[in-house]
Amino acid sequence: MKNDHAFTATELKGPKVEPTFAGALSFLRCRYTKDLAGVDVAVTGIPLDTATTNRPGARFGPRAVRAASSQIAWTRPYGCAFDPLEKLAVVDYGDCLWDHGRPEGIPAAIEAHADAILASGAAMLTLGGDHFISYPLLKAHVRKHGPLSLIHFDAHSDTWNDAQGTGRVDHGTMFYHAAREGLVDPKASVQIGLRTHNDDLMGFNVLDAPWVHEHGAQAAVSEVRRIVGAKKAYLTFDIDCLDPAFAPGTGTPVAGGLTSAQAIAIVKGFAGMNLVGMDVVEVAPAYDVGDVTALAAAHLAHEWLGLYASRPGA
């Protein structure tokens, strides 16, 4: 048995088995590297929480999700017919860097970080950080792929009107701008798990939390597939989509959310869809209990690797 695969691994593919309680921490024990030659997916952290409107702390989210992922690195996602790490060359690219004393430069730094990864041909699996990061990430993805459908899990719509313009760094207005700028097509997009009011949903299709509870996970999958179809889609998962019983470690928890089981079942149902990227955001470990929030985020990110490995043409 070897350990510290984050630094000692020589192969990019394959699970990295070592004691879950020890060793250098990377996402799923994948190799840390800035070399993206031959890489299919680059996992990267964006430790931003200055756009949050309630409790801060999501800057520690990427570190917490990496640590939690050590518990599941030894096996494939349950129910998956294959191990995505056997099919995909996955690396941990480390975190995006910016000057915290110049917050006005953060959005551009995130865009440039994403542009560099996507230009290599690798896809991005991004660990947040607060939800604002999806906006610069979408800009970079649209430059590569064209306008996208958005599959958005959240307790909040994040389409609050921002009359002040795009300069505002706020984790509640990103999809207002994304829709207005044509980055995403609201009619071909869906928001899942919402349970806070917003009078203007910008034309997005909504499967709110009560709808999911009433109709079930498989009905949600069918609706998403009907709405998005074969279009290229970006998946963004705000961990506060989960009920606080399953994700207490987040900045803006709202009662009445999805269970971990519901969320995983819905995400699994996207197998074969044309998903080009994912972020999982708003994990704030200072408010977590027994790392359950970080573990849920790690599971969801792991599931996305399975989805990416099953995309058309993979």
Side-chain angles (χ1 to χ4, degrees), residues 21 24 33 75 109 113 121 142 153 164 174 178 206 238 271 296-297 300 306:
F21 53 83
T33 182
T75 186
H113 180 79
V142 168
F153 289 79
Q164 298 180 51
M174 314 83 60
V206 175
D238 186 328
L300 290 160

Side-chain angles (χ1 to χ4, degrees), residues 138-225:
L138 278 170
K139 287 184 173 182
H141 279 79
V142 168
R143 279 193 286 273
K144 181 176 179 65
H145 297 287
L148 298 167
S149 292
L150 184 71
I151 303 174
H152 172 202
F153 289 79
D154 209 319
H156 314 86
S157 70
D158 295 339
T159 57
W160 276 274
N161 187 300
D162 180 13
Q164 298 180 51
T166 58
R168 184 176 178 81
V169 179
D170 188 315
H171 72 164
T173 63
M174 314 83 60
F175 302 132
Y176 169 87
H177 292 301
R180 286 175 59 90
E181 294 171 20
L183 303 177
V184 299
D185 177 4
K187 292 181 180 179
S189 301
V190 60
Q191 298 180 310
I192 304 164
L194 304 193
R195 52 196 186 277
T196 51
H197 287 287
N198 186 344
D199 292 334
D200 186 1
L201 295 172
M202 303 291 293
F204 285 93
N205 299 281
V206 175
L207 308 178
D208 64 17
W211 190 97
V212 175
H213 293 319
E214 179 178 355
H215 294 89
Q218 293 312 307
V221 170
S222 296
E223 275 296 282
V224 173
R225 285 186 169 274

Side-chain angles (χ1 to χ4, degrees), residues 283-303:
V283 173
Y287 316 109
D288 209 353
V289 178
D291 301 329
V292 297
T293 310
L295 185 60
H299 272 281
L300 290 160
H302 199 189
E303 293 287 352

Side-chain angles (χ1 to χ4, degrees), residues 22-272:
L25 293 175
S26 60
F27 185 74
L28 296 178
R29 305 289 193 176
C30 292
R31 181 180 176 185
Y32 262 119
T33 182
K34 300 294 186 184
D35 181 1
L36 295 177
V39 171
D40 297 310
V41 177
V43 182
T44 187
I46 302 186
L48 176 71
D49 65 5
T50 55
T52 192
T53 53
N54 193 29
R55 303 186 302 194
R59 68 180 62 186
F60 300 109
R63 182 183 297 173
V65 175
R66 285 185 175 104
S69 77
S70 67
Q71 299 183 51
I72 58 176
W74 61 276
T75 186
R76 66 184 186 271
Y78 185 75
C80 190
F82 58 88
D83 189 331
L85 294 182
E86 295 284 6
K87 288 194 172 188
L88 300 171
V90 181
V91 301
D92 194 319
Y93 191 74
D95 289 347
C96 182
L97 183 65
W98 56 78
D99 183 349
H100 71 278
R102 298 196 177 277
E104 71 281 0
I106 291 174
I110 296 171
E111 279 190 59
H113 180 79
D115 281 336
I117 293 172
L118 295 173
S120 75
M124 293 184 70
L125 172 54
T126 306
L127 312 175
D130 66 46
H131 212 162
F132 171 80
I133 70 170
S134 294
Y135 181 45
L137 289 174
L138 278 170
K139 287 184 173 182
H141 279 79
V142 168
R143 279 193 286 273
K144 181 176 179 65
H145 297 287
L148 298 167
S149 292
L150 184 71
I151 303 174
H152 172 202
F153 289 79
D154 209 319
H156 314 86
S157 70
D158 295 339
T159 57
W160 276 274
N161 187 300
D162 180 13
Q164 298 180 51
T166 58
R168 184 176 178 81
V169 179
D170 188 315
H171 72 164
T173 63
M174 314 83 60
F175 302 132
Y176 169 87
H177 292 301
R180 286 175 59 90
E181 294 171 20
L183 303 177
V184 299
D185 177 4
K187 292 181 180 179
S189 301
V190 60
Q191 298 180 310
I192 304 164
L194 304 193
R195 52 196 186 277
T196 51
H197 287 287
N198 186 344
D199 292 334
D200 186 1
L201 295 172
M202 303 291 293
F204 285 93
N205 299 281
V206 175
L207 308 178
D208 64 17
W211 190 97
V212 175
H213 293 319
E214 179 178 355
H215 294 89
Q218 293 312 307
V221 170
S222 296
E223 275 296 282
V224 173
R225 285 186 169 274
R226 180 187 67 81
I227 292 164
V228 176
K231 299 178 181 68
K232 289 185 176 181
Y234 184 89
L235 175 61
T236 180
F237 200 107
D238 186 328
I239 206 67
D240 72 24
C241 178
L242 303 183
D243 188 85
F246 302 91
T250 192
T252 314
V254 181
L258 274 59
T259 69
S260 299
Q262 286 174 314
I264 290 172
I266 295 170
V267 169
K268 280 183 178 294
F270 301 156

